[in-house]
Amino acid sequence: MHQSTNKLAGIRFLQRINKWEARVSVQGEHYSKTFIKQEDAILWREHMLKPSVNLVPTCEILFPQWLENPFGAYSPQTLFIYEQNVRLYLDKAFGHLKPEEITEQAILTFVLNLASSTTNQGKKRSLKSIKNIVGCFSSFLDWCCFKSYLEDNPLKRSKVKNNLSIFYKKNRLENNQANTIKKKALTKEEAKLLIAQAYKRGFQTGLIIEFLIYTGLRIGEAAALTWGDLTYLKTDNLGNVSLFITINKTMDHRTKSIQRSAKCDSNGQVEISYSIAQKLEQWKKIASDYGYPISSLDFLFPFVAQSPKDFSALISSLARKANIKHVTAHGVRHTTITFLASSGHSMQVVQKIARHKTSDMTTAYFDATQLPVTGVTASIEGILG
């Protein structure tokens, strides 16, 4: 009874308007608000009396909360990039400030400093990377505004969070993602030309390009592969083997250090076609003849492991020589997943091979292929007939 009375302190029923009024005094300031339900009035008052409401933390404290993705706004890949941007740039520049203390002049100074700085390789920072970092910070400030609004309106929390989650999910799907994939992915003819051009440069180069197209691995994952990651799991009656690649690490293209997890923790296994399995066996003999170590802990592709970033540049160079459109290392991955989506495989199968964390990312590839939906319902005749 005593506890119930305490909860009703500062709460009264206004019969004239048929509502409950909650009153509270915080640091000498008086606030009041009316509610239809008594429990809503109690909840608002208790929330206003919490000391945390009046404390505005610095960005250093807010960054980890934002990266927990409370609104479900970002994909795992986006979060991975945001975490890097916070660690390398934003925390150093704004970590000691509160969001409301950040001025336009401070942001402009930050951008100018970025533009005048160089990368770890001593190269001039590109406009695209600057835009990505600033866009990341803009997303953080947007989140701070939402967070502040929800603290002042706690009863709208569930509705706002749900609507934001739907909005961001829809925005990701409709933000020209399918068109972006179309632009970056190669056609079947272009992929053949790129493979042929790569083999002209050498067997290892050709095999790596073909391997990337057949598996859809990211360049850092391919660079970190060792001979021990190849696993022969089964052999059929004809002696054909099924070869699987275990992906559980990646190589940072800047520091060339091995990170003991695939990007965004997308660990898994990818099956290799029989033709690629044969070429890998052929490569093992060639690598041994060249003096490359081939123990289970040695790199499968020393050329990529030596410098993933330089090999990415080589892919673009090979594309130019083959007279096809500009393609990046990640564009090769787009190509693989697009081929899988257009081959009639289910979205669940493609998602598993691509190792996408959510189906939203895989859906974009099916939108990009725009497969004709004809003759599908006729299959019912086979079931009922």
Side-chain angles (χ1 to χ4, degrees), residues 337 346-362 366:
I337 304 172
S346 69
M347 188 167 70
Q348 289 81 0
V349 169
V350 176
Q351 181 182 350
K352 187 173 182 179
I353 296 173
R355 293 169 292 115
H356 285 153
K357 280 291 185 181
T358 65
S359 59
D360 294 350
M361 291 180 272
T362 315
F366 284 83

Side-chain angles (χ1 to χ4, degrees), residues 153-219:
N153 301 272
L155 300 178
K156 297 185 178 181
R157 180 179 297 274
S158 59
K159 185 175 181 180
V160 170
K161 285 182 68 173
N162 184 51
N163 289 342
L164 281 174
S165 181
I166 295 172
F167 168 77
Y168 281 116
K169 181 177 179 180
K170 184 178 180 182
N171 190 50
R172 283 203 304 271
L173 293 176
E174 295 182 352
N175 192 23
N176 295 322
Q177 200 166 355
N179 292 333
T180 302
I181 290 169
K182 280 183 182 178
K183 291 176 183 177
K184 292 183 177 181
L186 298 173
T187 63
K188 179 175 68 175
E189 291 73 20
E190 288 172 337
K192 288 180 178 179
L193 288 171
L194 181 64
I195 292 172
Q197 186 65 44
Y199 272 110
K200 288 180 182 178
R201 193 181 188 280
F203 184 81
Q204 183 180 184
T205 305
L207 175 58
I208 295 168
I209 296 295
E210 195 171 12
F211 179 85
L212 290 174
I213 290 177
Y214 271 75
T215 61
L217 263 66
R218 303 174 180 94
I219 191 69

Side-chain angles (χ1 to χ4, degrees), residues 30-45:
H30 300 282
Y31 304 91
S32 67
K33 198 168 184 177
T34 56
F35 302 88
I36 295 175
K37 296 180 179 179
Q38 185 189 60
E39 54 266 31
D40 290 344
I42 295 172
L43 178 65
W44 177 82
R45 189 173 187 279

Side-chain angles (χ1 to χ4, degrees), residues 14-275:
L14 302 178
Q15 194 169 5
R16 182 173 54 86
I17 58 175
N18 199 29
K19 287 185 178 181
W20 290 88
E21 181 189 36
R23 294 169 296 167
V24 65
S25 178
V26 179
Q27 293 184 349
E29 295 289 334
H30 300 282
Y31 304 91
S32 67
K33 198 168 184 177
T34 56
F35 302 88
I36 295 175
K37 296 180 179 179
Q38 185 189 60
E39 54 266 31
D40 290 344
I42 295 172
L43 178 65
W44 177 82
R45 189 173 187 279
E46 289 178 346
H47 183 81
M48 291 295 291
L49 288 172
K50 288 182 180 178
S52 58
V53 174
N54 305 306
L55 298 176
V56 182
T58 60
C59 293
E60 183 180 19
I61 298 172
L62 290 172
F63 280 139
Q65 297 177 24
W66 170 56
L67 292 172
E68 287 177 1
N69 202 17
F71 298 141
Y74 315 118
S75 67
Q77 282 84 350
T78 300
L79 280 175
F80 179 81
I81 295 170
Y82 281 2
E83 285 170 2
Q84 285 190 320
N85 287 338
V86 168
R87 177 172 53 85
L88 296 173
Y89 311 107
L90 300 179
D91 200 26
K92 297 176 184 176
F94 303 106
H96 62 288
L97 298 174
K98 297 177 182 178
E100 66 269 21
E101 295 174 343
I102 299 172
T103 63
E104 291 183 6
Q105 184 61 41
I107 297 175
L108 179 60
T109 302
F110 171 68
V111 173
L112 293 175
N113 289 337
L114 273 180
S116 60
S117 64
T118 57
T119 63
N120 292 338
Q121 290 75 31
K123 297 180 180 179
K124 184 179 179 181
R125 197 176 301 280
S126 67
L127 179 61
K128 181 180 178 180
S129 69
I130 295 172
K131 287 172 67 177
N132 285 340
I133 296 168
V134 174
C136 169
F137 190 51
S138 175
S139 297
F140 167 72
L141 294 178
D142 287 344
W143 172 80
C144 289
C145 292
F146 284 126
K147 182 175 181 294
S148 177
Y149 174 79
L150 292 179
E151 286 176 347
D152 293 337
N153 301 272
L155 300 178
K156 297 185 178 181
R157 180 179 297 274
S158 59
K159 185 175 181 180
V160 170
K161 285 182 68 173
N162 184 51
N163 289 342
L164 281 174
S165 181
I166 295 172
F167 168 77
Y168 281 116
K169 181 177 179 180
K170 184 178 180 182
N171 190 50
R172 283 203 304 271
L173 293 176
E174 295 182 352
N175 192 23
N176 295 322
Q177 200 166 355
N179 292 333
T180 302
I181 290 169
K182 280 183 182 178
K183 291 176 183 177
K184 292 183 177 181
L186 298 173
T187 63
K188 179 175 68 175
E189 291 73 20
E190 288 172 337
K192 288 180 178 179
L193 288 171
L194 181 64
I195 292 172
Q197 186 65 44
Y199 272 110
K200 288 180 182 178
R201 193 181 188 280
F203 184 81
Q204 183 180 184
T205 305
L207 175 58
I208 295 168
I209 296 295
E210 195 171 12
F211 179 85
L212 290 174
I213 290 177
Y214 271 75
T215 61
L217 263 66
R218 303 174 180 94
I219 191 69
E221 294 167 350
L225 284 177
T226 62
W227 287 102
D229 293 326
L230 304 182
T231 310
Y232 292 89
L233 294 183
K234 59 184 178 180
T235 307
D236 63 19
N237 295 331
L238 299 176
N240 296 328
V241 297
S242 290
L243 178 62
F244 284 78
I245 296 285
T246 300
I247 299 101
N248 56 13
K249 54 186 177 295
T250 189
M251 180 181 286
D252 190 301
H253 72 275
R254 293 186 181 91
T255 63
K256 300 179 187 176
S257 60
I258 301 296
Q259 300 172 359
R260 293 296 166 184
S261 177
K263 185 177 180 182
C264 306
D265 294 323
S266 55
N267 297 338
Q269 286 188 322
V270 176
E271 186 179 14
I272 305 299
S273 68
Y274 180 60
S275 63

